Amino acid sequence: MNDPRIIVALDFNSAADALSLTNKLNPRLCRLKVGKELFTAAGPQLVEKLMLQGFDIFLDLKFHDIPNTVANACKAASSLGAWMVNVHALGGRKMLMAARDAIPQGSSTKLIAVTLLTSMDQDDLADIGLQGQPEQIVERLARLTDDCALDGVVCSALEAAHLRQLLGDNFCLVTPGIRPSGGQADDQKRITTPLQAIRNGSSYLVIGRLITQANEPLLMCQQLNAEITSLTI
Ligand code: C5P
């Protein structure tokens, strides 16, 4: 079965910009992530267009609200045909379970959770009353996510090895912060190479600028796939 491990982050503010990139990509080599910016600008119509091009869509809208509202949003994402959708684990057990229950049995939509935003450091956590090291909080929220029978979490590839060991082979780990060896980090701090992320147990790699700003996005996608394929076949 064709199961591309690369998810290209479509961090654009218009459908035209997104489509001009996806026209150059191949759905056999990658999936796509539509986040808040693009979804707010271009809506479900764009998601439908991208699915018609053959791409699986990760709807990265990070729902966080009362359980009923999040459940209905997840239901809408699943009806739209999203391959993956996410919520904030900080919404708590009731919200996570409501989200899980809202996705119809037999639907192929995967539901994952964001543990902690990687933009938050210990001071930010203290400000909102969260005690402990970020890694401990990530672990607790990942366990809660697993306990509520969600499919996985978004995490740094540096955390992936530990979470893979803790939560087993079937738990889905989606990891951003991917850079080629020797490449520039941009604004990302906790980065790994694609190969290292896969070695650490990552299920899917979220890759943005490395592909979206490449001179030849398809070629870059092929090269990145070649780098990780040795470990995934
Ligand atoms: O361009 P780059 O590869 O850094 O893009 C990474 C993508 O992953 C962006 O869409 C970014 O918002 C997302 N992301 C991240 N770090 C997280 C969660 C999501 O970089 N912790």
Side-chain angles (χ1 to χ4, degrees):
M1 204 190 77
N2 186 46
D3 182 21
R5 311 286 290 264
I6 293 176
I7 304 175
V8 179
L10 295 182
D11 293 323
F12 297 110
N13 60 17
S14 74
D17 285 352
L19 289 166
S20 104
L21 176 77
T22 61
N23 286 335
K24 297 179 196 144
L25 295 175
N26 179 342
R28 294 189 61 76
L29 298 182
C30 63
R31 296 177 153 104
L32 304 175
K33 177 170 90 71
V34 174
K36 285 188 168 106
E37 181 186 15
L38 185 58
F39 192 77
T40 304
Q45 295 83 353
L46 174 68
V47 173
E48 279 164 357
K49 261 190 202 158
L50 297 170
M51 290 190 306
L52 277 175
Q53 289 187 327
F55 291 100
D56 283 343
I57 306 298
F58 169 19
L59 211 48
D60 178 22
L61 299 180
K62 302 187 180 71
F63 298 132
H64 188 174
D65 209 312
I66 59 170
N68 185 54
T69 302
V70 168
N72 287 333
C74 289
K75 202 181 291 173
S78 173
S79 312
L80 182 60
W83 162 72
M84 179 178 273
V85 61
N86 61 359
V87 298
H88 271 286
L90 282 168
R93 184 181 295 274
K94 290 195 194 74
M95 192 206 78
L96 292 170
M97 291 177 73
R100 170 76 280 165
D101 292 346
I103 294 185
Q105 295 236 327
S107 154
S108 55
T109 305
K110 291 179 195 295
L111 176 65
I112 64 167
V114 175
T115 54
L116 278 186
L117 292 172
T118 44
S119 52
M120 300 197 77
D121 61 20
Q122 199 141 21
D123 289 342
D124 295 314
L125 297 176
D127 277 344
I128 58 168
L130 282 179
Q131 309 303 333
Q133 297 293 320
E135 307 78 58
Q136 294 168 325
I137 300 173
V138 166
E139 182 178 321
R140 199 167 65 235
L141 291 170
R143 280 187 195 272
L144 174 66
T145 301
D146 186 40
D147 215 35
C148 295
L150 272 67
D151 296 301
V153 292
V154 182
C155 66
S156 142
L158 298 172
E159 289 154 359
H162 177 61
L163 294 181
R164 173 64 64 225
Q165 199 186 20
L166 205 69
L167 298 167
D169 286 346
N170 292 330
F171 200 66
C172 184
L173 300 174
V174 177
T175 62
I178 306 296
R179 291 294 178 273
S181 37
Q184 60 181 34
D186 295 312
D187 51 356
Q188 294 279 15
K189 295 202 176 67
R190 313 188 63 213
I191 55 171
T192 55
T193 65
L195 187 59
Q196 192 58 50
I198 295 290
R199 283 198 175 125
N200 287 1
S202 170
S203 316
Y204 298 103
L205 314 180
V206 174
I207 302 183
R209 286 160 288 185
L210 195 51
I211 292 175
T212 59
Q213 294 179 14
N215 288 333
E216 295 188 62
L218 181 64
L219 185 63
M220 178 58 82
C221 206
Q222 284 165 335
Q223 286 170 348
L224 293 167
N225 270 309
E227 181 178 338
I228 60 180
T229 299
S230 56
L231 282 179
T232 57
I233 52 173

